[in-house]
Amino acid sequence: MKRIDDKIIEEIREKNDIVEVISNYLPLTKKGKNYVCLCPFHNDSNPSLTISQEKQIYKCFSCDAGGNVITFVQDYEKISFLEALNKLAQNIGLDLELDNNQNNSNSKYNQLSEYYQLNEEANTLFQYLLNEAGNDLTTTYLKNRKIDNDIQTKFQIGYSSSNNVLTNLLKSKNYDLNKAVEIGLLKIKDNEYYDNFQNRITYPIIDLNNKVTGFTCRTITNEEPKFLNSIESKIFNKSSLLYNVNNAKDSIRKSKTVYILEGPNDVIAFNKAKVDNVVCIMGTAFTTEHINVLRQLNVTDIILGFDGDEAGRKATYNAFNTLSKYKFNIRYLDFKDNDPDDYLNKYGYDEFNKVLSYSKSAIEFKIDYEFSLINTNNFTEKKQLVQKLVAELNKVLDNFDKEYYYNYLASISGISFELIESYSSQQRSDYTPNKKNITRKKVVLNDIENASLNILYFMMKDIKYFKVFNTEVQTFLNPYYRKLYNVIAAYYLNSNVFNLADLDKLKIENNIIAALMKISLNYQYDDEVADEVFMDSISTLKTEKYYLDLAQKEEELINISDPLEKAKKSSEILELTMKLNEAKHKKFNK
């Protein structure tokens, strides 16, 4: 395997600004000198990932993920170090001259290549069969759905017939048929292999890396279920997959907006209406894995376009509840009692585009949905729901928004705006916040801990502080801080500038690197006070050490009876006392 020179690795890291690279994956917010965002490495609802442009590192203060630009790409995309390095090298126009085997040496795609290859074979065959079939069932289906050749090609739509063509093809090419069973392409009955998908239109599920992970297949013979998905396997997990993400990813990244629908034909309907940034979920609720895919595409705005029937409205309600935990702007499209595909076919492009031009907010949807669940002819039910919704609307801080939603609630409920506003005012006047619920605990470090952390921060900032520490103190009393100090000392053996982003070169435990990153990002001082803070911290450590030494010597003095030894010990105590006083007042000498 070709070894990449350390100087080339350093060049790649230095020329790929970490803020610029991470912003291609996640939306960042400036906070002081640093940037913050939701952490993609755990289920994060408040921004806990901090990115330092100055230090070229990132650190999550919740899950302790951290590293430099290379480790971020490696961990975020779940690829090998070489693959991440190669990606970043391409950003700066550098060719690492890696062969395919080397570039994918640790890739999950390489490890599972035969499974993906089986799906590719099936996908190619299904597309061929659709073009060759020409039977009444497929022709009628395509005509009714208005699926032309261009759409077939773009979405790689195919057809799985009923005569075990796939099984025979895979046999002829000497594939391991048991692996085809593992991913749901084939089934076994009476010790015979046969095609799992039969008499169905096939829609391949292709991931962000353009790999066919599986299929969703629609019946054309009214056989149940209507849609049949690939089974859960090593390469197919419907809770992390989004249909059409391979076609839509560039448009989504550019617009930072995604339309999320329920079925592949709905996605195709949007594409007919010239909307490209659209995907659909695979018959499952939203999951953390879906959220991570959206973050990877830099999504800030989500527009839901689920079916307008009862099941679709319930799915929308649940999606709002899940997505509201994250920092997305969420809206929805109201297709009444239709799904998007039916709506387009029934009402045409003009009406379809009108729905697209007016997306509703989560609050409007909640009002609509909750009113659909009650008997609106029952005044008591209606009154109780309005009171409940007003209580929730009182949490909306913007007065303009409140007025808009009060008017919307009035139009849906038939209760006047004036009465709703009056009831709202009464509720607000009765409300007193529980201060106990908003009090935050502050963690206070003792003087020794704070001084130790300050010193470690300054030593990483400039070698001059490292040298002063070695002259004035030499060591930490706490063994954990000594361990952190030893890493810094080892680094300064070969360099005069400490670079946290370069620590991956050393064989250091991840928890130690994480601790140093945390200190570096948590402790920030202006240059004009840096020296004073550092020397105060040095004095604190020295003072504590002298106090401990004094206590020990005074205890020893009590047990000495010999006058000469006693005088000698008293002299040592006096000298320590003088050093203690000096430590309290010594200033840093530039």
Side-chain angles (χ1 to χ4, degrees):
M1 178 182 288
K2 177 182 177 182
R3 185 183 182 278
I4 308 299
D5 189 272
D6 286 345
K7 289 183 179 179
I8 294 176
I9 295 174
E10 187 173 350
E11 179 187 359
I12 292 169
R13 182 177 50 74
E14 288 180 349
K15 290 185 177 179
N16 277 278
D17 178 71
I18 194 166
V19 169
E20 185 178 334
V21 170
I22 294 181
S23 68
N24 289 327
Y25 295 97
L26 302 165
L28 305 183
T29 302
K30 190 85 181 323
K31 189 175 181 180
K33 291 182 178 180
N34 300 323
Y35 292 80
V36 297
C37 66
L38 293 172
C39 178
F41 304 114
H42 76 283
N43 191 5
D44 195 11
S45 56
N46 290 305
S48 59
L49 191 76
T50 297
I51 303 100
S52 170
Q53 194 162 34
E54 177 187 2
K55 298 178 175 66
Q56 289 295 299
I57 59 172
Y58 67 95
K59 180 77 178 73
C60 175
F61 293 104
S62 292
C63 72
D64 274 342
N68 58 30
V69 67
I70 302 171
T71 57
F72 179 87
V73 173
Q74 183 180 356
D75 292 343
Y76 190 89
E77 296 205 16
K78 295 180 175 63
I79 56 180
S80 69
F81 177 82
L82 275 180
E83 287 175 293
L85 198 65
N86 196 47
K87 263 181 173 290
L88 292 168
Q90 291 171 7
N91 288 350
I92 61 173
L94 188 63
D95 185 2
L96 294 184
E97 298 180 352
L98 302 177
D99 59 44
N100 288 333
N101 289 332
Q102 186 175 356
N103 192 29
N104 293 296
S105 58
N106 294 315
S107 168
K108 68 175 184 178
Y109 296 112
N110 188 58
Q111 297 166 17
L112 303 170
S113 60
E114 190 169 352
Y115 294 106
Y116 288 107
Q117 195 172 346
L118 283 164
N119 274 340
E120 290 287 354
E121 290 279 8
N123 192 37
T124 302
L125 174 65
F126 294 155
Q127 291 175 79
Y128 170 80
L129 291 176
L130 180 64
N131 291 325
E132 292 297 311
N135 61 46
D136 291 341
L137 289 174
T138 57
T139 302
T140 301
Y141 179 83
L142 296 175
K143 183 178 179 181
N144 289 341
R145 293 289 175 178
K146 298 180 181 177
I147 296 175
D148 59 23
N149 288 332
D150 289 340
I151 293 172
Q152 287 180 43
T153 301
K154 179 175 181 178
F155 293 94
Q156 301 182 37
I157 298 171
Y159 168 63
S160 179
S161 62
S162 59
N163 51 359
N164 289 333
V165 177
L166 178 60
T167 300
N168 295 329
L169 174 71
L170 298 180
K171 278 183 180 177
S172 70
K173 292 193 172 186
N174 295 318
Y175 279 104
D176 184 343
L177 298 189
N178 288 322
K179 288 189 174 181
V181 172
E182 285 181 46
I183 59 175
L185 288 174
L186 306 183
K187 283 189 173 183
I188 300 176
K189 184 177 181 182
D190 298 329
N191 294 321
E192 292 290 330
Y193 296 94
Y194 68 98
D195 293 5
N196 183 27
F197 306 123
Q198 298 199 21
N199 289 320
R200 289 178 178 271
I201 296 294
T202 62
Y203 301 83
I205 313 301
I206 303 173
D207 67 12
L208 284 170
N209 293 288
N210 294 314
K211 299 291 184 180
V212 180
T213 63
F215 298 87
T216 183
C217 305
R218 191 193 189 282
T219 181
I220 53 175
T221 59
N222 296 320
E223 181 184 354
E224 291 295 334
K226 183 178 178 181
F227 276 96
L228 182 61
N229 293 329
S230 292
I231 61 173
E232 295 288 308
S233 70
K234 294 176 181 178
I235 63 171
F236 186 85
N237 176 9
K238 66 181 180 180
S239 295
S240 63
L241 294 168
L242 295 169
Y243 175 74
N244 193 50
V245 73
N246 58 309
N247 290 323
K249 59 186 177 184
D250 292 338
S251 178
I252 293 171
R253 281 196 176 109
K254 185 176 180 181
S255 65
K256 296 187 178 181
T257 301
V258 62
Y259 291 86
I260 301 180
L261 313 177
E262 282 193 87
N265 285 319
D266 298 328
V267 170
I268 291 170
F270 270 69
N271 271 256
K272 291 176 186 174
K274 309 301 181 187
V275 180
D276 296 322
N277 51 327
V278 56
V279 297
C280 77
I281 55 178
M282 304 299 301
T284 183
F286 270 103
T287 65
T288 304
E289 287 84 359
H290 287 138
I291 302 298
N292 286 337
V293 174
L294 298 180
R295 287 174 174 172
Q296 192 170 341
L297 294 171
N298 213 9
V299 168
T300 58
D301 294 82
I302 296 174
I303 303 172
L304 302 173
F306 293 170
D307 297 354
D309 58 13
E310 184 178 348
R313 289 196 300 273
K314 186 175 182 180
T316 303
Y317 184 80
N318 291 335
F320 271 126
N321 287 339
T322 300
L323 293 168
S324 63
K325 300 172 187 175
Y326 303 89
K327 304 298 182 182
F328 295 117
N329 301 314
I330 317 162
R331 300 182 71 82
Y332 92 108
L333 301 172
D334 188 0
F335 288 102
K336 306 303 178 186
D337 293 328
N338 303 275
D339 62 40
D341 184 40
D342 288 337
Y343 194 94
L344 176 61
N345 290 331
K346 189 182 294 185
Y347 299 107
Y349 287 103
D350 289 344
E351 290 300 316
F352 187 85
N353 286 321
K354 283 181 184 178
V355 175
L356 267 59
S357 67
Y358 179 52
S359 58
K360 292 185 176 182
S361 68
I363 294 175
E364 288 170 297
F365 172 79
K366 184 176 179 64
I367 293 171
D368 290 344
Y369 180 70
E370 299 225 5
F371 266 92
S372 74
L373 300 178
I374 69 165
N375 178 6
T376 54
N377 293 321
N378 184 313
F379 177 73
T380 301
E381 283 190 45
K382 186 189 293 187
K383 173 185 172 183
Q384 289 174 346
L385 179 55
V386 168
Q387 289 174 334
K388 172 193 168 186
L389 291 171
V390 166
E392 293 181 14
L393 288 175
N394 277 337
K395 299 173 186 175
V396 180
L397 299 179
D398 190 295
N399 287 330
F400 289 97
D401 287 348
K402 280 182 183 175
E403 182 171 350
Y404 175 83
Y405 292 126
Y406 290 161
N407 272 309
Y408 190 79
L409 181 55
S411 70
I412 298 296
S413 66
I415 295 174
S416 70
F417 170 84
E418 290 76 19
L419 183 56
I420 291 173
E421 187 177 42
S422 173
Y423 179 77
S424 172
S425 299
Q426 178 187 339
Q427 291 295 303
R428 288 199 302 274
S429 65
D430 291 342
Y431 174 73
T432 53
N434 182 355
K435 291 186 179 180
K436 289 182 181 179
N437 292 334
I438 59 175
T439 302
R440 293 184 179 178
K441 291 183 179 179
K442 186 175 182 180
V443 178
V444 179
L445 297 173
N446 66 41
D447 289 344
I448 302 302
E449 288 177 303
N450 200 50
S452 300
L453 292 169
N454 276 336
I455 291 168
L456 288 165
Y457 162 77
F458 282 114
M459 285 198 293
M460 288 187 283
K461 182 179 175 67
D462 196 311
I463 195 172
K464 71 178 181 180
Y465 297 112
F466 174 75
K467 291 177 178 177
V468 171
F469 176 83
N470 285 336
T471 301
E472 297 287 336
V473 183
Q474 289 95 38
T475 188
F476 286 94
L477 299 172
N478 185 308
Y480 177 68
Y481 296 142
R482 279 204 301 273
K483 194 169 187 178
L484 299 182
Y485 162 79
N486 289 336
V487 171
I488 298 171
Y491 193 97
Y492 277 136
L493 288 174
N494 299 306
S495 175
N496 288 325
V497 179
F498 189 86
N499 191 341
L500 269 169
D502 210 23
L503 279 183
D504 57 344
K505 285 183 180 178
L506 305 177
K507 293 182 179 179
I508 304 168
E509 302 99 312
N510 288 336
N511 63 320
I512 296 297
I513 296 177
L516 291 172
M517 287 182 174
K518 191 171 184 177
I519 294 167
S520 180
L521 293 172
N522 266 351
Y523 286 75
Q524 303 285 339
Y525 296 100
D526 294 333
D527 289 341
E528 55 266 27
V529 300
D531 291 351
E532 183 180 351
V533 173
F534 176 75
M535 276 315 298
D536 283 345
S537 299
I538 288 286
S539 295
T540 299
L541 247 61
K542 290 178 73 174
T543 300
E544 179 68 11
K545 186 174 185 301
Y546 291 146
Y547 274 132
L548 292 173
D549 288 347
L550 272 173
Q552 182 180 345
K553 290 185 182 297
E554 285 173 350
E555 187 176 342
E556 291 171 355
L557 182 64
I558 296 172
N559 298 318
I560 296 176
S561 56
D562 183 90
L564 289 177
E565 287 296 323
K566 201 163 191 173
K568 183 179 178 182
K569 187 64 67 177
S570 296
S571 176
E572 290 175 1
I573 290 172
L574 179 61
E575 185 180 352
L576 270 175
T577 303
M578 293 174 63
K579 286 183 177 180
L580 175 61
N581 291 329
E582 182 184 358
K584 291 178 180 178
H585 303 292
K586 184 163 186 174
K587 300 298 180 183
F588 184 79
N589 183 5
K590 293 183 181 179

